[in-house]
Amino acid sequence: MLIAPAVITTNSPSASSIITTSVAARWNLIVLLAYRRVGEARSVLRLQSVTSTQDVARPLPIGSLVVAEHQTAGRGRRDRRWESPAGTALLVSFVLDPNPLLSLAAGVAAAEACGSGVRLKWPNDLLLRGAKLGGILVEATPTKAICGIGINLTWSPPGAAMLNEDRDGLLEKLSVALRRWSSARPEAVLARWRELSDTLGRQVRVELPGRVIEGTAEAIGPDGELIVDGVAVRVGSVIHL
């Protein structure tokens, strides 16, 4: 059974909407069509400015989607800042069923949605021609997971990449791909991630609390861990050497 999503535009001071009626209507329609295609959305919340889409999505039910024009306190892994001028990036959080491989599945989905040439850096970066295009942040509880995805579209910081693609179309493709890969078999997710990886086979440095590991990124393990010279790495920042 298809549950039609409630598309909400808010004009509250913390998330004011200044989008014209015609653009807002088109945006809502794109989101609605994307979620009708996957068939399980409950609510779509489109905001102008938020601290982070993760903050807004956290209390929402599974099947919800939060997308914003701008984040005042966007962040990635390990509380790193994610900054971009308003309207220049796809900034979205999906509320999904918990999945131990969701970060890798979301990477696969985002890479496929972005198109050929986009590769994956363990554990959660999107690369285009070796430069960072976007990132993924997953926050999980026993009952649900919040998957935040940010992709540079028309602006990027120095040294980073941008996609120069229409945001509405990218959101639709991403929604469909994420629904597919977040429910795929673990072995299928791992196999596709290996195909898209820009990390495997490279010399890497992994920065861990209190120590650093350098070696060859040999494999990805069954739980998504990176194997570096026989050592399983489950957390940490990876630098391609």
Side-chain angles (χ1 to χ4, degrees), residues 12-217:
S12 67
S14 62
S16 60
S17 177
I18 58 172
I19 306 174
T20 64
T21 302
S22 60
V23 173
R26 180 171 179 260
W27 178 257
N28 290 345
L29 179 60
I30 288 291
V31 174
L32 176 62
L33 290 176
Y35 266 79
R36 280 186 171 171
R37 190 169 293 183
V38 300
E40 287 193 358
R42 294 180 182 176
S43 63
V44 176
L45 190 59
R46 180 185 54 78
L47 304 171
Q48 177 64 22
S49 182
V50 296
T51 54
S52 167
T53 55
Q54 295 288 93
D55 295 338
V56 179
R58 204 170 290 119
L60 299 180
I62 290 172
S64 301
L65 160 67
V66 177
V67 64
E69 291 281 309
H70 183 239
Q71 294 183 133
T72 60
R75 63 191 184 278
R77 292 179 64 250
R78 305 176 75 178
D79 289 328
R80 291 179 174 141
R81 291 293 301 269
W82 175 281
E83 297 182 358
S84 60
T88 64
L90 175 60
L91 306 170
V92 59
S93 289
F94 299 84
V95 187
L96 304 168
D97 289 311
N99 176 346
L101 291 180
L102 182 55
S103 182
L104 299 188
V108 168
E112 290 191 346
C114 288
S116 62
V118 175
R119 309 286 289 175
L120 298 173
K121 176 185 174 186
W122 190 91
N124 67 339
D125 283 349
L126 302 170
L127 302 182
L128 180 61
R129 295 183 292 276
K132 184 169 180 176
L133 174 68
I136 295 159
L137 176 65
V138 174
E139 303 174 19
T141 72
T143 58
K144 64 182 175 181
I146 314 301
C147 179
I149 300 175
I151 300 171
N152 300 325
L153 297 180
T154 58
W155 176 91
S156 64
M162 57 185 173
L163 196 60
N164 283 317
E165 184 167 331
D166 177 70
R167 185 180 54 178
D168 299 353
L170 181 60
L171 176 63
E172 182 177 1
K173 290 187 289 185
L174 176 60
S175 300
V176 174
L178 185 58
R179 172 58 183 162
R180 174 192 173 194
W181 285 108
S182 65
S183 60
R185 293 177 293 108
E187 54 269 32
V189 172
L190 292 170
R192 184 60 175 142
W193 192 93
R194 293 183 187 106
E195 292 175 350
L196 293 169
S197 174
D198 197 54
T199 297
L200 296 183
R202 298 184 66 139
Q203 290 295 113
V204 300
R205 178 187 299 121
V206 186
E207 297 179 349
L208 302 168
R211 65 176 178 143
V212 173
I213 298 174
E214 286 192 11
T216 302

